Amino acid sequence: MSNVDTIKNFVIAEFLPGTAPAELAADHDLLNDGVIDSLGVLKLIAWVEDRFELAVGDADLDPNNFRSVEAIDAFIAGARAAA
């Protein structure tokens, strides 16, 4: 399973139950559309840290890093490359 699929499945399970994975576009703006609120972002960050074994630092807390499935995937790839 790709990171995009893994992230999409988590977002659907936690924030969009009953939604088919095909219905959630990878570039869908999760923050702007209210799918994920500020507490949801914290939950998402904790999951990313645990699932992908990454430390999300204060400088990484830019909402744009967690705005969409694509953005989260790009953040994970960048964090792994920097490590």
Side-chain angles (χ1 to χ4, degrees), residues 21-44:
E23 293 179 44
L24 179 60
D27 63 349
H28 183 87
D29 192 328
L30 302 168
L31 301 178
N32 207 29
D33 286 349
V35 173
I36 299 177
D37 60 11
S38 58
L39 291 177
V41 170
L42 295 176
K43 186 175 195 173
L44 178 62

Side-chain angles (χ1 to χ4, degrees), residues 8-56:
K8 190 181 281 194
N9 286 337
F10 174 79
V11 168
I12 289 170
E14 293 296 321
F15 306 107
L16 294 168
T19 302
E23 293 179 44
L24 179 60
D27 63 349
H28 183 87
D29 192 328
L30 302 168
L31 301 178
N32 207 29
D33 286 349
V35 173
I36 299 177
D37 60 11
S38 58
L39 291 177
V41 170
L42 295 176
K43 186 175 195 173
L44 178 62
I45 290 168
W47 176 80
V48 166
E49 288 181 319
D50 183 57
R51 174 65 178 83
F52 296 98
E53 299 177 351
L54 297 172
V56 178

